[in-house]
Amino acid sequence: MKKYLFLSILFAGLFFTSCGSDDTKKEDTEVVTKPGKWEPTTIQLVKIVPLQTIEYPHTANCTKDYLELSAGNKAIFFRHEGTDCKVTEYTDAFQRSGNNVSLNMLGYKINGTIAVETATNMEIHSDISEYIPLIKEQFPEYEQYLSLLEGGTVKLSFNKK
């Protein structure tokens, strides 16, 4: 259960962040993220090589979480949780300038980069250090493991619904 909670918090931070660079080739022309609903699908932790890829932890038997983008790259993130599938809305969850992204998660500002983007897929890369304050506050029992992740990158993938 603690591992699931840790991964959920890590994703939440990751979902709203992205920082770092990557060898992934970008398309020749810049694609502006299309308005609509974007569903998080996987989270991958990379430190030299991929260490682990997990499915995004959507709450079972609830509508899947999603990021709803509107014109001007304004966004609301809808998180469904608990046995009653209570919805929490995070406004101003995604702000974009070029491929740079600024996310607001639980009051923490996390910066990152959109590394892959098509009309139906988006991948945001984040340096794990962007999440350290969030992890320390929400899961202090994992603080001792954070040094092992230094220099790691988190890749958060989305599919357009």
Side-chain angles (χ1 to χ4, degrees):
M1 182 65 179
K2 282 187 178 185
K3 183 177 181 181
Y4 180 78
L5 261 170
F6 177 73
L7 293 174
S8 295
I9 293 298
L10 181 60
F11 166 75
L14 301 174
F15 178 81
F16 293 99
T17 178
S18 177
C19 183
S21 62
D22 188 85
D23 297 336
T24 305
K25 291 182 180 179
K26 296 181 185 175
E27 295 179 336
D28 292 341
T29 59
E30 183 176 316
V31 177
V32 176
T33 308
K34 304 288 185 203
K37 295 178 181 178
W38 290 84
E39 182 181 299
T41 56
T42 59
I43 304 164
Q44 183 178 59
L45 180 59
V46 177
K47 179 148 180 167
I48 302 175
V49 296
L51 298 175
Q52 183 170 5
T53 300
I54 62 167
E55 296 295 317
Y56 172 81
H58 295 284
T59 302
N61 302 317
C62 294
T63 301
K64 292 184 177 181
D65 300 345
Y66 63 93
L67 176 68
E68 186 168 2
L69 295 174
S70 58
N73 287 315
K74 300 260 183 188
I76 299 173
F77 180 64
F78 294 87
R79 172 85 176 130
H80 301 82
E81 51 196 337
T83 56
D84 60 351
C85 297
K86 180 182 175 197
V87 178
T88 302
E89 295 181 19
Y90 296 93
T91 58
D92 297 324
F94 179 96
Q95 296 171 356
R96 179 179 184 168
S97 176
N99 282 335
N100 295 317
V101 178
S102 176
L103 302 162
N104 179 359
M105 181 56 191
L106 301 174
Y108 291 92
K109 182 179 178 182
I110 301 172
N111 298 303
T113 303
I114 295 176
V116 175
E117 184 174 26
T118 68
T120 58
N121 302 92
M122 177 172 49
E123 189 174 282
I124 298 175
H125 292 194
S126 308
D127 187 291
I128 191 69
S129 66
E130 291 285 320
Y131 301 98
I132 289 176
L134 178 66
I135 294 168
K136 283 181 177 180
E137 181 180 308
Q138 298 295 315
F139 300 99
E141 66 272 19
Y142 292 106
E143 186 171 352
Q144 64 186 344
Y145 303 109
L146 292 175
S147 63
L148 299 173
L149 300 175
E150 275 183 28
T153 299
V154 177
K155 297 180 180 182
L156 177 61
S157 298
F158 296 85
N159 287 334
K160 185 146 189 219
K161 290 173 77 172

PDB file of all heavy atoms in Angstrom, residues 1-23:
ATOM      1  N   MET A   1       0.827  -1.188   0.000  1.00  0.00           N
ATOM      2  CA  MET A   1       0.000   0.000   0.000  1.00  0.00           C
ATOM      3  C   MET A   1       0.876   1.259   0.000  1.00  0.00           C
ATOM      4  O   MET A   1       0.583   2.211  -0.699  1.00  0.00           O
ATOM      5  CB  MET A   1      -0.930  -0.049   1.217  1.00  0.00           C
ATOM      6  CG  MET A   1      -1.859   1.126   1.281  1.00  0.00           C
ATOM      7  SD  MET A   1      -2.985   1.060  -0.131  1.00  0.00           S
ATOM      8  CE  MET A   1      -3.969   2.466   0.170  1.00  0.00           C
ATOM      9  N   LYS A   2       1.955   1.251   0.826  1.00  0.00           N
ATOM     10  CA  LYS A   2       2.835   2.420   0.862  1.00  0.00           C
ATOM     11  C   LYS A   2       3.482   2.647  -0.490  1.00  0.00           C
ATOM     12  O   LYS A   2       3.628   3.775  -0.929  1.00  0.00           O
ATOM     13  CB  LYS A   2       3.922   2.243   1.930  1.00  0.00           C
ATOM     14  CG  LYS A   2       3.435   2.486   3.327  1.00  0.00           C
ATOM     15  CD  LYS A   2       4.596   2.452   4.291  1.00  0.00           C
ATOM     16  CE  LYS A   2       4.152   2.747   5.701  1.00  0.00           C
ATOM     17  NZ  LYS A   2       5.260   2.822   6.616  1.00  0.00           N
ATOM     18  N   LYS A   3       3.857   1.555  -1.162  1.00  0.00           N
ATOM     19  CA  LYS A   3       4.475   1.683  -2.479  1.00  0.00           C
ATOM     20  C   LYS A   3       3.493   2.318  -3.457  1.00  0.00           C
ATOM     21  O   LYS A   3       3.848   3.196  -4.230  1.00  0.00           O
ATOM     22  CB  LYS A   3       4.916   0.307  -2.983  1.00  0.00           C
ATOM     23  CG  LYS A   3       5.628   0.349  -4.309  1.00  0.00           C
ATOM     24  CD  LYS A   3       6.099  -1.018  -4.714  1.00  0.00           C
ATOM     25  CE  LYS A   3       6.829  -0.963  -6.036  1.00  0.00           C
ATOM     26  NZ  LYS A   3       7.286  -2.275  -6.460  1.00  0.00           N
ATOM     27  N   TYR A   4       2.224   1.895  -3.426  1.00  0.00           N
ATOM     28  CA  TYR A   4       1.205   2.463  -4.304  1.00  0.00           C
ATOM     29  C   TYR A   4       1.019   3.954  -4.001  1.00  0.00           C
ATOM     30  O   TYR A   4       0.925   4.773  -4.902  1.00  0.00           O
ATOM     31  CB  TYR A   4      -0.113   1.709  -4.128  1.00  0.00           C
ATOM     32  CG  TYR A   4      -1.203   2.242  -4.997  1.00  0.00           C
ATOM     33  CD1 TYR A   4      -1.254   1.923  -6.357  1.00  0.00           C
ATOM     34  CD2 TYR A   4      -2.171   3.086  -4.487  1.00  0.00           C
ATOM     35  CE1 TYR A   4      -2.237   2.436  -7.158  1.00  0.00           C
ATOM     36  CE2 TYR A   4      -3.155   3.600  -5.284  1.00  0.00           C
ATOM     37  CZ  TYR A   4      -3.191   3.272  -6.621  1.00  0.00           C
ATOM     38  OH  TYR A   4      -4.164   3.790  -7.417  1.00  0.00           O
ATOM     39  N   LEU A   5       0.971   4.296  -2.707  1.00  0.00           N
ATOM     40  CA  LEU A   5       0.829   5.695  -2.314  1.00  0.00           C
ATOM     41  C   LEU A   5       2.017   6.516  -2.810  1.00  0.00           C
ATOM     42  O   LEU A   5       1.852   7.608  -3.343  1.00  0.00           O
ATOM     43  CB  LEU A   5       0.747   5.809  -0.789  1.00  0.00           C
ATOM     44  CG  LEU A   5      -0.641   5.940  -0.221  1.00  0.00           C
ATOM     45  CD1 LEU A   5      -0.609   5.786   1.278  1.00  0.00           C
ATOM     46  CD2 LEU A   5      -1.284   7.220  -0.616  1.00  0.00           C
ATOM     47  N   PHE A   6       3.221   5.983  -2.616  1.00  0.00           N
ATOM     48  CA  PHE A   6       4.420   6.685  -3.055  1.00  0.00           C
ATOM     49  C   PHE A   6       4.382   6.928  -4.560  1.00  0.00           C
ATOM     50  O   PHE A   6       4.640   8.021  -5.038  1.00  0.00           O
ATOM     51  CB  PHE A   6       5.672   5.889  -2.681  1.00  0.00           C
ATOM     52  CG  PHE A   6       6.938   6.507  -3.167  1.00  0.00           C
ATOM     53  CD1 PHE A   6       7.455   7.661  -2.586  1.00  0.00           C
ATOM     54  CD2 PHE A   6       7.633   5.944  -4.218  1.00  0.00           C
ATOM     55  CE1 PHE A   6       8.617   8.236  -3.037  1.00  0.00           C
ATOM     56  CE2 PHE A   6       8.804   6.513  -4.678  1.00  0.00           C
ATOM     57  CZ  PHE A   6       9.295   7.655  -4.091  1.00  0.00           C
ATOM     58  N   LEU A   7       4.020   5.895  -5.308  1.00  0.00           N
ATOM     59  CA  LEU A   7       3.954   6.033  -6.766  1.00  0.00           C
ATOM     60  C   LEU A   7       2.863   7.017  -7.167  1.00  0.00           C
ATOM     61  O   LEU A   7       3.036   7.788  -8.112  1.00  0.00           O
ATOM     62  CB  LEU A   7       3.729   4.675  -7.414  1.00  0.00           C
ATOM     63  CG  LEU A   7       4.892   3.703  -7.273  1.00  0.00           C
ATOM     64  CD1 LEU A   7       4.517   2.333  -7.819  1.00  0.00           C
ATOM     65  CD2 LEU A   7       6.136   4.229  -7.946  1.00  0.00           C
ATOM     66  N   SER A   8       1.757   7.022  -6.450  1.00  0.00           N
ATOM     67  CA  SER A   8       0.688   7.983  -6.756  1.00  0.00           C
ATOM     68  C   SER A   8       1.156   9.408  -6.540  1.00  0.00           C
ATOM     69  O   SER A   8       0.920  10.287  -7.364  1.00  0.00           O
ATOM     70  CB  SER A   8      -0.541   7.710  -5.883  1.00  0.00           C
ATOM     71  OG  SER A   8      -1.083   6.458  -6.193  1.00  0.00           O
ATOM     72  N   ILE A   9       1.830   9.647  -5.429  1.00  0.00           N
ATOM     73  CA  ILE A   9       2.339  10.984  -5.146  1.00  0.00           C
ATOM     74  C   ILE A   9       3.412  11.353  -6.145  1.00  0.00           C
ATOM     75  O   ILE A   9       3.436  12.451  -6.673  1.00  0.00           O
ATOM     76  CB  ILE A   9       2.910  11.072  -3.719  1.00  0.00           C
ATOM     77  CG1 ILE A   9       1.798  10.919  -2.722  1.00  0.00           C
ATOM     78  CG2 ILE A   9       3.634  12.390  -3.496  1.00  0.00           C
ATOM     79  CD1 ILE A   9       0.745  11.982  -2.774  1.00  0.00           C
ATOM     80  N   LEU A  10       4.298  10.412  -6.412  1.00  0.00           N
ATOM     81  CA  LEU A  10       5.342  10.671  -7.384  1.00  0.00           C
ATOM     82  C   LEU A  10       4.715  11.039  -8.717  1.00  0.00           C
ATOM     83  O   LEU A  10       5.100  12.007  -9.352  1.00  0.00           O
ATOM     84  CB  LEU A  10       6.248   9.444  -7.544  1.00  0.00           C
ATOM     85  CG  LEU A  10       7.402   9.588  -8.521  1.00  0.00           C
ATOM     86  CD1 LEU A  10       8.328  10.720  -8.083  1.00  0.00           C
ATOM     87  CD2 LEU A  10       8.178   8.283  -8.594  1.00  0.00           C
ATOM     88  N   PHE A  11       3.695  10.279  -9.138  1.00  0.00           N
ATOM     89  CA  PHE A  11       3.049  10.597 -10.400  1.00  0.00           C
ATOM     90  C   PHE A  11       2.404  11.966 -10.345  1.00  0.00           C
ATOM     91  O   PHE A  11       2.491  12.747 -11.268  1.00  0.00           O
ATOM     92  CB  PHE A  11       1.960   9.595 -10.780  1.00  0.00           C
ATOM     93  CG  PHE A  11       1.160  10.179 -11.872  1.00  0.00           C
ATOM     94  CD1 PHE A  11       1.672  10.232 -13.148  1.00  0.00           C
ATOM     95  CD2 PHE A  11      -0.037  10.789 -11.619  1.00  0.00           C
ATOM     96  CE1 PHE A  11       0.984  10.848 -14.154  1.00  0.00           C
ATOM     97  CE2 PHE A  11      -0.730  11.407 -12.634  1.00  0.00           C
ATOM     98  CZ  PHE A  11      -0.224  11.437 -13.894  1.00  0.00           C
ATOM     99  N   ALA A  12       1.709  12.254  -9.248  1.00  0.00           N
ATOM    100  CA  ALA A  12       1.017  13.529  -9.154  1.00  0.00           C
ATOM    101  C   ALA A  12       2.011  14.652  -9.375  1.00  0.00           C
ATOM    102  O   ALA A  12       1.764  15.586 -10.121  1.00  0.00           O
ATOM    103  CB  ALA A  12       0.350  13.670  -7.794  1.00  0.00           C
ATOM    104  N   GLY A  13       3.153  14.541  -8.733  1.00  0.00           N
ATOM    105  CA  GLY A  13       4.177  15.547  -8.955  1.00  0.00           C
ATOM    106  C   GLY A  13       4.678  15.496 -10.374  1.00  0.00           C
ATOM    107  O   GLY A  13       4.891  16.512 -11.002  1.00  0.00           O
ATOM    108  N   LEU A  14       4.860  14.306 -10.860  1.00  0.00           N
ATOM    109  CA  LEU A  14       5.365  14.146 -12.214  1.00  0.00           C
ATOM    110  C   LEU A  14       4.373  14.638 -13.228  1.00  0.00           C
ATOM    111  O   LEU A  14       4.727  15.215 -14.239  1.00  0.00           O
ATOM    112  CB  LEU A  14       5.646  12.672 -12.492  1.00  0.00           C
ATOM    113  CG  LEU A  14       6.640  12.049 -11.561  1.00  0.00           C
ATOM    114  CD1 LEU A  14       6.741  10.562 -11.838  1.00  0.00           C
ATOM    115  CD2 LEU A  14       7.966  12.706 -11.733  1.00  0.00           C
ATOM    116  N   PHE A  15       3.155  14.373 -12.954  1.00  0.00           N
ATOM    117  CA  PHE A  15       2.117  14.781 -13.878  1.00  0.00           C
ATOM    118  C   PHE A  15       2.144  16.276 -14.074  1.00  0.00           C
ATOM    119  O   PHE A  15       1.919  16.783 -15.143  1.00  0.00           O
ATOM    120  CB  PHE A  15       0.751  14.378 -13.332  1.00  0.00           C
ATOM    121  CG  PHE A  15      -0.304  14.834 -14.235  1.00  0.00           C
ATOM    122  CD1 PHE A  15      -0.604  14.107 -15.363  1.00  0.00           C
ATOM    123  CD2 PHE A  15      -0.960  16.007 -14.007  1.00  0.00           C
ATOM    124  CE1 PHE A  15      -1.552  14.533 -16.220  1.00  0.00           C
ATOM    125  CE2 PHE A  15      -1.917  16.448 -14.866  1.00  0.00           C
ATOM    126  CZ  PHE A  15      -2.213  15.706 -15.977  1.00  0.00           C
ATOM    127  N   PHE A  16       2.430  16.966 -13.005  1.00  0.00           N
ATOM    128  CA  PHE A  16       2.420  18.404 -13.084  1.00  0.00           C
ATOM    129  C   PHE A  16       3.801  18.967 -13.228  1.00  0.00           C
ATOM    130  O   PHE A  16       4.050  20.070 -12.801  1.00  0.00           O
ATOM    131  CB  PHE A  16       1.770  18.982 -11.832  1.00  0.00           C
ATOM    132  CG  PHE A  16       0.333  18.653 -11.776  1.00  0.00           C
ATOM    133  CD1 PHE A  16      -0.116  17.623 -11.011  1.00  0.00           C
ATOM    134  CD2 PHE A  16      -0.559  19.338 -12.561  1.00  0.00           C
ATOM    135  CE1 PHE A  16      -1.434  17.308 -10.986  1.00  0.00           C
ATOM    136  CE2 PHE A  16      -1.877  19.023 -12.551  1.00  0.00           C
ATOM    137  CZ  PHE A  16      -2.316  18.010 -11.754  1.00  0.00           C
ATOM    138  N   THR A  17       4.686  18.213 -13.803  1.00  0.00           N
ATOM    139  CA  THR A  17       6.023  18.719 -13.966  1.00  0.00           C
ATOM    140  C   THR A  17       6.710  18.121 -15.142  1.00  0.00           C
ATOM    141  O   THR A  17       6.241  17.185 -15.738  1.00  0.00           O
ATOM    142  CB  THR A  17       6.866  18.436 -12.725  1.00  0.00           C
ATOM    143  OG1 THR A  17       8.158  18.912 -12.970  1.00  0.00           O
ATOM    144  CG2 THR A  17       6.891  17.002 -12.426  1.00  0.00           C
ATOM    145  N   SER A  18       7.843  18.702 -15.376  1.00  0.00           N
ATOM    146  CA  SER A  18       8.651  18.171 -16.443  1.00  0.00           C
ATOM    147  C   SER A  18       9.877  19.036 -16.562  1.00  0.00           C
ATOM    148  O   SER A  18       9.773  20.237 -16.648  1.00  0.00           O
ATOM    149  CB  SER A  18       7.823  18.203 -17.709  1.00  0.00           C
ATOM    150  OG  SER A  18       8.568  17.767 -18.766  1.00  0.00           O
ATOM    151  N   CYS A  19      11.030  18.415 -16.537  1.00  0.00           N
ATOM    152  CA  CYS A  19      12.254  19.177 -16.664  1.00  0.00           C
ATOM    153  C   CYS A  19      13.343  18.242 -17.125  1.00  0.00           C
ATOM    154  O   CYS A  19      13.375  17.099 -16.748  1.00  0.00           O
ATOM    155  CB  CYS A  19      12.630  19.807 -15.327  1.00  0.00           C
ATOM    156  SG  CYS A  19      14.078  20.825 -15.412  1.00  0.00           S
ATOM    157  N   GLY A  20      14.247  18.772 -17.909  1.00  0.00           N
ATOM    158  CA  GLY A  20      15.351  17.950 -18.334  1.00  0.00           C
ATOM    159  C   GLY A  20      15.434  17.905 -19.836  1.00  0.00           C
ATOM    160  O   GLY A  20      14.658  18.501 -20.546  1.00  0.00           O
ATOM    161  N   SER A  21      16.429  17.186 -20.296  1.00  0.00           N
ATOM    162  CA  SER A  21      16.584  17.037 -21.729  1.00  0.00           C
ATOM    163  C   SER A  21      16.615  15.562 -22.050  1.00  0.00           C
ATOM    164  O   SER A  21      16.770  14.725 -21.187  1.00  0.00           O
ATOM    165  CB  SER A  21      17.867  17.719 -22.184  1.00  0.00           C
ATOM    166  OG  SER A  21      18.964  17.095 -21.566  1.00  0.00           O
ATOM    167  N   ASP A  22      16.490  15.269 -23.336  1.00  0.00           N
ATOM    168  CA  ASP A  22      16.430  13.884 -23.734  1.00  0.00           C
ATOM    169  C   ASP A  22      16.938  13.758 -25.151  1.00  0.00           C
ATOM    170  O   ASP A  22      16.924  14.700 -25.908  1.00  0.00           O
ATOM    171  CB  ASP A  22      14.969  13.413 -23.635  1.00  0.00           C
ATOM    172  CG  ASP A  22      14.875  11.926 -23.853  1.00  0.00           C
ATOM    173  OD1 ASP A  22      15.049  11.175 -22.890  1.00  0.00           O
ATOM    174  OD2 ASP A  22      14.625  11.538 -25.001  1.00  0.00           O
ATOM    175  N   ASP A  23      17.352  12.544 -25.503  1.00  0.00           N
ATOM    176  CA  ASP A  23      17.829  12.288 -26.848  1.00  0.00           C
ATOM    177  C   ASP A  23      16.689  12.077 -27.828  1.00  0.00           C
ATOM    178  O   ASP A  23      16.909  11.950 -29.021  1.00  0.00           O
ATOM    179  CB  ASP A  23      18.701  11.030 -26.857  1.00  0.00           C
ATOM    180  CG  ASP A  23      19.936  11.220 -26.003  1.00  0.00           C
ATOM    181  OD1 ASP A  23      20.347  12.380 -25.805  1.00  0.00           O
ATOM    182  OD2 ASP A  23      20.485  10.217 -25.528  1.00  0.00           O
TER     183      ASP A  23
END
